Amino acid sequence: MTDDHPHGPAADTAHHHARGRAHEHTAAVERALAALDLDTKVRLLSGQDMWTLPAVPAIGLRSLVMSDGPVGVRGQEWNAGDPSVTLPSPTALSATWDPELARRTGHLLAQEARRKGVHVLLAPTVNLHRSPLGGRHFECYAEDPLLTGVIGAGYVRGVQEGGVGTTVKHFVGNDAETDRLTVDNRIAPRPLRELYLAPFEHIVENARPWGVMTAYNQVNGSTMTEHRALVQDVLRGEWGFDGCNVSDWTAARDTVRALRGGLDVAMPGPRTVYGAPLAEVVRKGEVAEAEVDEAVRRVLLLAARTGCLDGVPAAVGPAEVPRGIDGRAVAREVARRACVLLRNEPVGGARRALPLDAATVRSVAVIGAAAREARVLGGGSATVFPDAVVSPLEGLRAALPEDVEITFAAGADPRSRVPAAREGFALRARYLAADGRPLAESAQGYGKMQVMGRLPEGVTRQDLSAVELAGSFTPRHTGRHTLAVAGTGELRLTVGGAVLFDGRCAPEGGDPFEAFLNPAERQVTAQLTAGERIDVTLRFVPDGLVLGEGPTALHFRLGHRAPQADADAEIAEAVRAAADADVAVVVVGTTEEAESEGFDRGDLRLPGRQDELVRRVAAANPHTVVVVNSGSPVELPWREQVPAVLLSWFPGQEAGAALADVLLGAHEPGGRLPTTWPARLDDAPVTTVTPTGGQLDYAEGMFIGYRGWQRSAAAPAYPFGHGLGYTDWDYESLDTTPDSVRVRIRNAGDRPGREVVQIYLAPTTDAAPDAPERPVRWLAGFAVVEAGPGESVEAEIPLPDRAFAVWEAEEGGWHRVKGVYLVEAARSVDDRRLTAEVTVG
């Protein structure tokens, strides 16, 4: 539900404790501040390395550790040797429409953060899905500001109830990746307030985050790390945000303007616009030390809240921290609750395609490269390394009875890059000095080697000369294997004593983070024999252990692809497997080359020949179920040629287990679309993400997502809020006042179910004729309800005053628009079941 305010005695007690601790925090911060000299103060405002702030033992201040954390807590060691529980993507979490589930994921992530010594998570990302081309939309929640704000608030509450801070990002307007470091997004005051600032405002007012991260981009001519009007006047002044403002990494550019603009911490360190440069401008009289003190106060308050300042209790006491959470269980629950059943038609005039009947299905063809190696999380800075991943193929094998025959065919591999070496490889990472002396060694789960911030114990930047991935490979197949190397620097690959590659890979693209996260790749081949173990060594000498002028950062990769038939033969094999099976399950999806941080998408097509694969499999088997493994919308031109389409998003480490739960009917798919899925990109309301002359004009104003689709002659493939279940619902009654809505619905099916009741407001045509142009309708509230067969259930959903208000730019405030509104209870924005009128005075 959208009522984010807890109630009851427990909440009152927690509020009383919080007020008491807030008073202690204020006093402790002032004592600590008074003991600091200028040089120590400015050092506190600049990271000491990639992820931490410096300690000041003299005042009892310990080093505060930050880490990315939308789907898992990476920690300071960003490598496979330090695995993380890996949850589904934020779009998946938003698809549950369940803030309480978001809160429980926050509890889990806080538990993971404490395990890894992390005090602050650099999450959640609450930018909007302005255009379906946004490359990082898998890390954002939705196209709608209310849904984004409610899910984000649940996440923030959960993490901070675990005693760990959050950093809501990217404030504001980072809604695309193209030229994100420099783009000036021109956003009119009304959409800026009603759309892009709204999720941040909701989270600040309802969840009280301890941190916010300001974005790289400019908004209306001012870089966000220097945007005094939005940070000081709106975020802190109007909304009362009392937390710490940290820059996106390397985003701070000017010492004086950043401080005056309200930036507290410039990351990463130690060389930033703060530190020594800030002390210098204070001594020159360009800024007052009192201005520095304000930023230091907020850093010390964050330290106090997270338990990093001695002599003052943390914001959450040890006894109040949720513990003993089963990470795998939570990951599996979110993944199945997030699955969106887009289509589910009868097969041959009989029962619907899903759920599958394990008692009658005797054979299943599992098809698609993503069925064997699912993409469980998006690419970029939020990447973590799970301890283990359950693929769709593994999940179905484990869930189906032993006498069900399961066949697999890759069909059409969409990846242009070679996946990281895994199956059959036994590797170790060796850190070497210039004289070949080993500095450290550790087991390496697979062929992706990545460090950003902290090197292993015993290894320093000064001593480190090269890193090797070394071990053995035992092939399962005889034939010509493809091997790949990637990394910015010198690479030498030796297989079975023969050097197959010895050369340099140069970075590609203008975004330094993109060049680091997706380095250039070179491919070679080797004829290998099944079962014959061979030695493999990949030696990497980086161009420099630095990202820009920042801290240690290195990334290289050993890739492997088993022998494959040509593409036509692979598809033909998949078609034969489908034709011989009772059911064909085809898993299609995007790749890191198509959907990742650092770049936007050029189209919404599935990469490779996956569309052709689906069509040909569907022609061979009428009972074809397609699972879509992507973080954000893709075109599905074959959707009406198959009886069932299920969206799994990027489903986290329990991908296959959750998918089997849904396909076999142990649990119903509980998800609803948090963003509209176009039939064709050209139909989408917003398709411009590339700046012109350094500027990107948000010319569509208020009309993004479903707000824009409702003004279009074209219909989407699947509307905002859409999602089917395994039961049917009758909407029985709707009672409304200007403050709340009560909806009664009945489970009209023969099995338990979960429904997302959505409430939309639509101004009537004869009401408020002088009001500014508004969308046809907009989401005003929602609730998740459950009921058994034949049972009725009621949902009471508040209608916030803001739902009836618009931002008046000239007056600089919110204006409640009077008149008659339709209140619509719906299953999606296009499937409205009950309507009532309410008059707002």
Side-chain angles (χ1 to χ4, degrees):
M1 297 179 64
T2 56
D3 183 0
D4 285 319
H5 301 281
H7 303 283
D12 293 340
T13 301
H15 182 65
H16 175 75
H17 288 166
R19 290 184 61 184
R21 287 171 183 154
H23 178 75
E24 292 181 74
H25 291 162
T26 300
V29 164
E30 292 304 318
R31 287 194 302 270
L33 179 64
L36 300 177
D37 60 25
L38 175 62
D39 290 322
T40 306
K41 291 175 185 177
V42 297
R43 189 162 56 89
L44 277 178
L45 304 184
S46 200
Q48 70 174 349
D49 54 30
M50 196 69 184
W51 306 118
T52 71
L53 298 184
V56 184
I59 61 170
L61 178 65
R62 294 184 295 282
S63 178
L64 187 145
V65 180
M66 306 179 191
S67 172
D68 279 308
V71 300
V73 181
R74 184 178 61 241
Q76 294 187 71
E77 294 185 12
W78 195 5
N79 59 63
D82 183 25
S84 308
V85 173
T86 305
L87 296 169
S89 63
T91 42
L93 181 60
S94 185
T96 70
W97 290 59
D98 190 342
E100 183 56 32
L101 184 58
R103 181 183 180 188
R104 289 201 288 119
T105 67
H107 291 164
L108 168 64
L109 291 169
Q111 176 178 278
E112 281 281 280
R114 294 193 306 273
R115 180 176 67 83
K116 293 195 170 201
V118 169
H119 306 107
V120 176
L121 291 186
L122 304 171
T125 302
V126 298
N127 302 113
L128 296 185
H129 297 180
R130 172 179 170 265
S131 165
L133 292 175
R136 202 175 181 179
H137 281 350
F138 58 84
E139 197 179 318
C140 309
Y141 289 126
E143 68 186 21
D144 180 78
L146 177 64
L147 178 58
T148 297
V150 170
I151 299 298
Y155 174 102
V156 167
R157 280 199 303 271
V159 173
Q160 293 186 173
E161 286 168 354
V164 174
T166 57
T167 308
V168 187
K169 63 183 189 182
H170 307 86
F171 188 80
V172 60
N174 185 182
D175 309 296
E177 294 293 279
T178 303
D179 295 343
R180 63 177 176 162
L181 304 182
T182 58
V183 61
D184 181 10
N185 292 323
R186 313 298 290 194
I187 312 174
R190 190 175 161 215
L192 181 61
R193 286 284 188 157
E194 294 188 32
L195 296 179
Y196 301 102
L197 286 171
F200 292 93
E201 181 181 12
H202 184 98
I203 293 169
V204 167
E205 293 186 349
N206 291 285
R208 314 306 300 177
W210 301 345
V212 161
M213 178 188 290
T214 40
Y216 292 114
N217 54 274
Q218 302 174 57
V219 171
N220 298 331
S222 178
T223 299
M224 280 311 307
T225 51
E226 304 167 7
H227 210 307
R228 184 177 182 89
L230 291 181
V231 174
Q232 296 285 59
D233 298 344
V234 175
L235 176 65
R236 291 203 172 106
E238 291 183 28
W239 303 348
F241 172 68
D242 67 352
C244 182
N245 174 14
V246 59
S247 74
D248 206 339
W249 266 225
T250 73
R253 292 151 193 171
D254 183 90
T255 301
V256 174
R257 290 199 301 268
L259 187 71
R260 293 262 167 85
L263 181 68
D264 298 324
V265 176
M267 288 295 286
R271 294 188 296 276
T272 75
V273 299
Y274 285 168
L278 181 54
E280 182 180 356
V281 298
V282 172
R283 292 186 171 111
K284 287 181 177 179
E286 295 180 34
V287 298
E289 188 169 351
E291 295 176 83
V292 175
D293 288 349
E294 285 301 307
V296 175
R297 281 188 178 94
R298 290 186 283 266
V299 173
L300 293 172
L301 177 59
L302 178 62
R305 284 169 162 167
T306 56
C308 291
L309 187 61
D310 290 344
V312 58
V316 179
E320 302 167 276
V321 170
R323 299 179 185 277
I325 303 168
D326 185 335
R328 290 186 59 186
V330 173
R332 185 169 179 170
E333 180 183 0
V334 175
R336 66 187 178 225
R337 290 274 306 277
C339 282
V340 180
L341 185 58
L342 298 174
R343 177 177 172 86
N344 193 22
E345 297 298 315
V347 178
R351 63 192 304 274
R352 295 185 185 274
L354 291 176
L356 301 176
D357 185 354
T360 60
V361 171
R362 309 318 312 153
S363 59
V364 178
V366 182
I367 296 168
R372 183 169 56 193
E373 296 180 59
R375 189 175 181 200
V376 300
L377 75 168
S381 62
T383 300
V384 294
F385 298 91
D387 182 50
V389 172
V390 182
S391 72
L393 180 59
E394 292 169 331
L396 284 169
R397 280 177 172 159
L400 285 166
E402 291 184 1
D403 60 349
V404 174
E405 180 185 3
I406 300 175
T407 57
F408 169 76
D413 192 335
R415 297 167 296 192
S416 59
R417 293 171 71 94
V418 178
R422 188 185 298 268
E423 188 177 44
F425 285 83
L427 300 171
R428 295 187 69 79
R430 299 198 299 233
Y431 297 80
L432 305 174
D435 59 4
R437 175 172 45 92
L439 302 172
E441 185 172 321
S442 62
Q444 182 72 14
Y446 68 126
K448 187 175 183 178
M449 185 69 204
Q450 189 165 283
V451 173
M452 198 171 187
R454 189 171 78 177
L455 291 165
E457 187 174 350
V459 182
T460 66
R461 286 172 58 164
Q462 293 74 23
D463 292 339
L464 182 62
S465 175
V467 185
E468 288 184 348
L469 279 178
S472 65
F473 173 45
T474 305
R476 291 185 59 186
H477 305 281
T478 296
R480 187 152 292 276
H481 292 245
T482 300
L483 298 160
V485 300
T488 301
E490 300 290 335
L491 294 125
R492 186 172 70 228
L493 174 63
T494 305
V495 178
V499 177
L500 299 186
F501 181 87
D502 190 355
R504 182 177 183 276
C505 290
E508 298 176 347
D511 187 326
F513 287 96
E514 169 61 12
F516 170 75
L517 294 167
N518 294 294
E521 179 184 84
R522 301 292 182 268
Q523 298 181 11
V524 296
T525 62
Q527 181 69 31
L528 304 175
T529 303
E532 290 189 5
R533 177 183 175 278
I534 57 171
D535 293 333
V536 176
T537 301
L538 175 59
R539 179 182 177 86
F540 176 58
V541 180
D543 280 355
L545 296 171
V546 177
L547 185 61
E549 294 186 353
T552 300
L554 64 87
H555 178 198
F556 69 104
R557 183 168 55 87
L558 171 63
H560 169 258
R561 180 183 288 135
Q564 292 179 313
D566 65 59
D568 289 338
E570 291 277 0
I571 291 179
E573 180 187 352
V575 171
R576 286 193 297 271
D580 292 339
D582 294 337
V583 177
V585 176
V586 186
V587 184
V588 298
T590 59
T591 64
E592 289 193 5
E593 298 89 350
E595 190 178 8
S596 179
E597 177 183 351
F599 59 89
D600 291 313
R601 296 194 282 172
D603 58 59
L604 301 183
R605 293 189 296 272
L606 287 168
R609 297 173 64 179
Q610 295 181 98
D611 288 332
E612 177 188 352
L613 175 66
V614 172
R615 287 192 178 100
R616 291 184 59 181
V617 167
N621 189 327
H623 197 165
T624 293
V625 176
V626 182
V627 178
V628 182
N629 179 199
S630 71
S632 47
V634 292
E635 293 175 0
L636 309 174
W638 35 259
R639 63 189 182 278
E640 294 183 359
Q641 299 171 28
V642 297
V645 182
L646 182 72
L647 172 59
S648 69
W649 309 100
F650 294 148
Q653 68 179 60
E654 298 299 312
L659 180 61
D661 286 342
V662 170
L663 292 179
L664 300 178
H667 296 269
E668 74 167 352
R672 304 293 185 266
L673 288 179
T675 196
T676 307
W677 276 50
R680 302 183 316 133
L681 171 62
D682 291 346
D683 295 335
V686 183
T687 58
T688 303
V689 294
T690 301
T692 301
Q695 294 185 353
L696 181 61
D697 185 9
Y698 284 36
E700 70 284 347
M702 293 294 302
F703 299 98
I704 68 170
Y706 67 87
R707 291 168 167 82
W709 281 100
Q710 291 178 112
R711 290 159 38 110
S712 170
Y718 300 105
F720 176 80
H722 173 72
L724 308 174
Y726 290 156
T727 189
D728 297 314
W729 296 91
D730 288 340
Y731 278 58
E732 297 182 326
S733 65
L734 168 65
D735 298 308
T736 186
T737 71
D739 300 315
S740 67
V741 174
R742 184 181 295 275
V743 183
R744 184 177 181 85
I745 66 175
R746 183 175 64 87
N747 182 346
D750 58 3
R751 58 175 287 156
R754 177 183 288 110
E755 175 73 326
V756 178
V757 179
Q758 303 163 40
I759 301 298
Y760 296 89
L761 289 180
T764 58
T765 55
D766 59 348
D770 297 330
E773 184 180 19
R774 288 181 288 177
V776 174
R777 59 182 49 81
W778 56 89
L779 184 70
F782 56 91
V784 179
V785 297
E786 298 181 25
E791 293 180 351
S792 293
V793 62
E794 284 190 345
E796 185 168 358
I797 303 170
L799 289 179
D801 184 72
R802 181 65 59 81
F804 300 98
V806 297
W807 178 259
E808 292 282 6
E810 292 184 4
E811 300 176 9
W814 291 97
H815 171 64
R816 184 178 171 95
V817 181
K818 300 176 182 179
V820 179
Y821 292 81
L822 298 180
V823 179
E824 302 167 331
R827 303 198 72 228
S828 78
V829 71
D830 287 350
D831 184 3
R832 302 176 297 278
R833 299 297 180 90
L834 296 172
T835 301
E837 286 191 351
V838 63
T839 301
V840 174

